[in-house]
Amino acid sequence: TPVAKGKLPAGSAGVGDESVLKNNVWVWKKTEFTNGNVTVTPKMADKFTITFGDDDRISGTTDCNGFFGSYTRGSDGIINFGALGSTMMYCDGSQESAFMNDVSEAARYTFDESGNLIFILKKNAGKVFFVKK
């Protein structure tokens, strides 16, 4: 069993079973930014995915390329992504850079009451919502 890298304050509860995070393909549904109440949704539904591997690696797809990288997580919901690499196709009008920026800016993760994944962005700048595929 891997050791959690975060530490919970006394009396706190974790964000849920790590296997929920890892055993699903997560599909981006929207990003809600707190500044200006802006919501961004994918123009190409179901193209943007992220999958967490057992080896602290992630992989995923965008509307243009595939991507990969590493991550660390704590039992308290802290999440950090390492440098993310990707294939190098150019796609006119792609939302790839916005999506990849949102992922790399994630500071915490949680699950809503329906079991969907939510990234909370650094400095409480917003939330990125994913549903199970």
Side-chain angles (χ1 to χ4, degrees):
T1 306
V3 175
K5 294 176 175 70
K7 185 175 179 183
L8 291 171
S12 296
V15 293
D17 187 346
E18 182 180 17
S19 67
V20 174
L21 184 67
K22 290 185 175 182
N23 292 328
N24 290 291
V25 174
W26 299 98
V27 179
W28 178 45
K29 286 300 167 189
K30 65 180 175 178
T31 301
E32 293 179 350
F33 295 100
T34 53
N35 185 8
N37 291 328
V38 175
T39 298
V40 177
T41 56
K43 295 174 194 169
M44 298 177 76
D46 300 333
K47 293 290 184 184
F48 294 86
T49 67
I50 189 167
T51 303
F52 295 84
D54 287 329
D55 54 359
D56 293 335
R57 305 285 301 162
I58 60 163
S59 61
T61 59
T62 69
D63 57 356
C64 189
N65 288 291
F67 68 91
F68 50 88
S70 63
Y71 75 99
T72 57
R73 63 169 285 284
S75 59
D76 53 1
I78 299 294
I79 194 161
N80 291 296
F81 293 96
L84 300 175
S86 72
T87 55
M88 301 295 289
M89 291 188 52
Y90 171 77
C91 301
D92 194 39
S94 172
Q95 290 178 290
E96 179 176 271
S97 62
F99 173 74
M100 296 301 292
N101 185 64
D102 293 349
V103 168
S104 65
E105 287 293 307
R108 299 180 57 80
Y109 75 97
T110 190
F111 298 98
D112 67 14
E113 61 280 352
S114 299
N116 297 314
L117 175 64
I118 301 170
F119 288 164
I120 300 163
L121 300 176
K122 294 174 184 169
K123 300 179 184 174
N124 287 322
K127 296 179 180 178
V128 186
F129 296 84
F130 295 87
V131 296
K132 292 178 194 174
K133 186 170 185 173

Short mmCIF file of all heavy atoms in Angstrom, two decimals, residues 3 14 20 24 36 41-42 44 51-52 57 61 77 86 91 97 102-103 111 114 116-117 124-125 128-129 132:
data_model
loop_
_atom_site.label_atom_id
_atom_site.label_comp_id
_atom_site.label_asym_id
_atom_site.label_seq_id
_atom_site.Cartn_x
_atom_site.Cartn_y
_atom_site.Cartn_z
N VAL A 3 2.21 4.96 0.62
CA VAL A 3 2.05 5.89 1.73
C VAL A 3 1.53 7.21 1.18
O VAL A 3 2.06 7.74 0.21
CB VAL A 3 3.40 6.11 2.45
CG1 VAL A 3 3.27 7.16 3.52
CG2 VAL A 3 3.91 4.80 3.01
N GLY A 14 -10.62 11.96 4.79
CA GLY A 14 -9.99 11.99 3.48
C GLY A 14 -11.01 12.25 2.40
O GLY A 14 -12.21 12.34 2.66
N VAL A 20 -11.02 4.98 -6.48
CA VAL A 20 -12.02 5.69 -7.29
C VAL A 20 -11.32 6.62 -8.27
O VAL A 20 -11.68 6.71 -9.44
CB VAL A 20 -13.00 6.48 -6.39
CG1 VAL A 20 -13.94 7.34 -7.22
CG2 VAL A 20 -13.77 5.53 -5.49
N ASN A 24 -10.90 4.84 -13.03
CA ASN A 24 -11.87 5.43 -13.94
C ASN A 24 -11.17 6.31 -14.96
O ASN A 24 -10.09 6.82 -14.72
CB ASN A 24 -12.87 6.29 -13.15
CG ASN A 24 -13.79 5.46 -12.29
OD1 ASN A 24 -14.63 4.74 -12.81
ND2 ASN A 24 -13.61 5.53 -10.99
N GLY A 36 -14.98 36.79 -12.49
CA GLY A 36 -15.87 37.11 -13.59
C GLY A 36 -16.96 36.09 -13.84
O GLY A 36 -17.71 36.22 -14.81
N THR A 41 -16.70 25.37 -21.39
CA THR A 41 -17.09 23.98 -21.66
C THR A 41 -16.38 23.51 -22.93
O THR A 41 -16.08 24.31 -23.81
CB THR A 41 -18.62 23.84 -21.83
OG1 THR A 41 -19.03 24.72 -22.87
CG2 THR A 41 -19.35 24.19 -20.55
N PRO A 42 -16.14 22.22 -23.03
CA PRO A 42 -15.47 21.71 -24.24
C PRO A 42 -16.39 21.80 -25.45
O PRO A 42 -17.57 21.47 -25.36
CB PRO A 42 -15.13 20.27 -23.89
CG PRO A 42 -16.03 19.90 -22.78
CD PRO A 42 -16.37 21.15 -22.05
N MET A 44 -15.85 20.00 -28.06
CA MET A 44 -15.94 18.61 -28.53
C MET A 44 -16.10 17.71 -27.30
O MET A 44 -15.12 17.32 -26.68
CB MET A 44 -14.70 18.24 -29.34
CG MET A 44 -14.54 19.08 -30.59
SD MET A 44 -13.02 18.70 -31.50
CE MET A 44 -13.50 17.15 -32.25
N THR A 51 -6.69 10.00 -17.03
CA THR A 51 -6.67 8.70 -16.36
C THR A 51 -5.47 8.66 -15.42
O THR A 51 -4.36 9.03 -15.82
CB THR A 51 -6.57 7.56 -17.39
OG1 THR A 51 -7.66 7.66 -18.30
CG2 THR A 51 -6.62 6.20 -16.70
N PHE A 52 -5.70 8.24 -14.19
CA PHE A 52 -4.65 8.14 -13.17
C PHE A 52 -4.20 6.69 -13.08
O PHE A 52 -5.02 5.80 -12.85
CB PHE A 52 -5.18 8.60 -11.82
CG PHE A 52 -5.54 10.06 -11.80
CD1 PHE A 52 -6.78 10.49 -12.25
CD2 PHE A 52 -4.64 11.00 -11.34
CE1 PHE A 52 -7.11 11.84 -12.25
CE2 PHE A 52 -4.96 12.35 -11.33
CZ PHE A 52 -6.20 12.76 -11.79
N ARG A 57 1.42 7.96 -12.50
CA ARG A 57 1.47 8.56 -13.83
C ARG A 57 0.05 8.87 -14.27
O ARG A 57 -0.90 8.22 -13.86
CB ARG A 57 2.10 7.58 -14.84
CG ARG A 57 3.46 7.03 -14.47
CD ARG A 57 4.61 7.96 -14.63
NE ARG A 57 4.74 8.42 -16.01
CZ ARG A 57 5.43 9.50 -16.36
NH1 ARG A 57 6.04 10.22 -15.47
NH2 ARG A 57 5.52 9.85 -17.62
N THR A 61 -6.35 12.53 -23.10
CA THR A 61 -6.55 13.01 -24.46
C THR A 61 -7.14 14.40 -24.42
O THR A 61 -7.79 14.79 -23.44
CB THR A 61 -7.50 12.08 -25.24
OG1 THR A 61 -8.76 12.03 -24.56
CG2 THR A 61 -6.92 10.68 -25.37
N GLY A 77 -6.40 15.44 -0.10
CA GLY A 77 -6.91 16.06 -1.31
C GLY A 77 -5.92 16.93 -2.06
O GLY A 77 -6.24 17.45 -3.12
N SER A 86 3.22 15.83 -24.37
CA SER A 86 2.12 15.48 -25.27
C SER A 86 2.65 15.20 -26.67
O SER A 86 3.78 15.54 -27.00
CB SER A 86 1.08 16.60 -25.34
OG SER A 86 1.58 17.71 -26.07
N CYS A 91 -3.82 21.62 -34.15
CA CYS A 91 -5.24 21.57 -34.51
C CYS A 91 -5.81 22.98 -34.35
O CYS A 91 -5.82 23.53 -33.25
CB CYS A 91 -5.99 20.59 -33.61
SG CYS A 91 -5.36 18.91 -33.70
N SER A 97 -4.75 23.96 -24.99
CA SER A 97 -3.90 24.74 -24.08
C SER A 97 -4.69 25.20 -22.85
O SER A 97 -4.16 25.18 -21.73
CB SER A 97 -3.25 25.93 -24.79
OG SER A 97 -4.22 26.82 -25.28
N ASP A 102 -5.56 24.34 -17.07
CA ASP A 102 -6.45 24.07 -15.93
C ASP A 102 -5.97 22.88 -15.13
O ASP A 102 -5.91 22.92 -13.90
CB ASP A 102 -7.89 23.81 -16.41
CG ASP A 102 -8.55 25.03 -17.03
OD1 ASP A 102 -7.99 26.14 -16.92
OD2 ASP A 102 -9.62 24.85 -17.63
N VAL A 103 -5.59 21.81 -15.81
CA VAL A 103 -5.10 20.61 -15.12
C VAL A 103 -3.84 20.93 -14.34
O VAL A 103 -3.70 20.58 -13.16
CB VAL A 103 -4.86 19.45 -16.13
CG1 VAL A 103 -4.10 18.31 -15.48
CG2 VAL A 103 -6.20 18.95 -16.67
N PHE A 111 -14.47 14.85 -4.58
CA PHE A 111 -15.56 14.23 -5.32
C PHE A 111 -16.87 14.84 -4.84
O PHE A 111 -17.03 15.12 -3.66
CB PHE A 111 -15.58 12.71 -5.09
CG PHE A 111 -14.32 12.02 -5.56
CD1 PHE A 111 -13.32 11.71 -4.66
CD2 PHE A 111 -14.16 11.70 -6.89
CE1 PHE A 111 -12.16 11.08 -5.08
CE2 PHE A 111 -12.99 11.06 -7.32
CZ PHE A 111 -12.00 10.77 -6.42
N SER A 114 -22.29 12.93 -6.34
CA SER A 114 -22.56 11.96 -7.40
C SER A 114 -21.32 11.14 -7.77
O SER A 114 -21.37 10.31 -8.66
CB SER A 114 -23.06 12.68 -8.66
OG SER A 114 -24.26 13.36 -8.38
N ASN A 116 -18.48 12.46 -8.95
CA ASN A 116 -17.71 13.10 -10.01
C ASN A 116 -16.48 13.79 -9.42
O ASN A 116 -16.50 14.26 -8.29
CB ASN A 116 -18.58 14.10 -10.75
CG ASN A 116 -19.74 13.42 -11.45
OD1 ASN A 116 -19.57 12.40 -12.10
ND2 ASN A 116 -20.92 13.98 -11.29
N LEU A 117 -15.43 13.85 -10.21
CA LEU A 117 -14.15 14.42 -9.79
C LEU A 117 -14.14 15.93 -10.00
O LEU A 117 -14.59 16.42 -11.04
CB LEU A 117 -13.02 13.78 -10.61
CG LEU A 117 -11.61 14.31 -10.44
CD1 LEU A 117 -11.10 14.07 -9.01
CD2 LEU A 117 -10.68 13.67 -11.46
N ASN A 124 -7.80 29.38 -5.28
CA ASN A 124 -9.27 29.32 -5.42
C ASN A 124 -9.77 30.04 -6.67
O ASN A 124 -10.80 30.70 -6.65
CB ASN A 124 -9.96 29.86 -4.17
CG ASN A 124 -9.85 28.89 -3.01
OD1 ASN A 124 -9.93 27.68 -3.21
ND2 ASN A 124 -9.65 29.41 -1.82
N ALA A 125 -9.00 29.91 -7.76
CA ALA A 125 -9.35 30.58 -9.02
C ALA A 125 -10.55 29.95 -9.71
O ALA A 125 -11.13 30.56 -10.60
CB ALA A 125 -8.15 30.58 -9.96
N VAL A 128 -12.54 22.65 -11.83
CA VAL A 128 -12.62 21.89 -13.07
C VAL A 128 -13.42 20.63 -12.77
O VAL A 128 -13.07 19.89 -11.85
CB VAL A 128 -11.21 21.53 -13.60
CG1 VAL A 128 -11.32 20.86 -14.97
CG2 VAL A 128 -10.31 22.75 -13.66
N PHE A 129 -14.48 20.41 -13.53
CA PHE A 129 -15.41 19.31 -13.27
C PHE A 129 -15.23 18.19 -14.29
O PHE A 129 -15.16 18.44 -15.49
CB PHE A 129 -16.86 19.81 -13.33
CG PHE A 129 -17.19 20.81 -12.28
CD1 PHE A 129 -16.90 22.16 -12.45
CD2 PHE A 129 -17.78 20.41 -11.09
CE1 PHE A 129 -17.20 23.09 -11.46
CE2 PHE A 129 -18.08 21.33 -10.10
CZ PHE A 129 -17.79 22.67 -10.28
N LYS A 132 -17.28 10.46 -14.74
CA LYS A 132 -16.76 9.16 -15.13
C LYS A 132 -17.24 8.81 -16.53
O LYS A 132 -18.39 9.03 -16.86
CB LYS A 132 -17.27 8.08 -14.17
CG LYS A 132 -16.73 8.17 -12.79
CD LYS A 132 -17.33 7.09 -11.93
CE LYS A 132 -17.07 7.35 -10.47
NZ LYS A 132 -17.77 6.38 -9.62
#
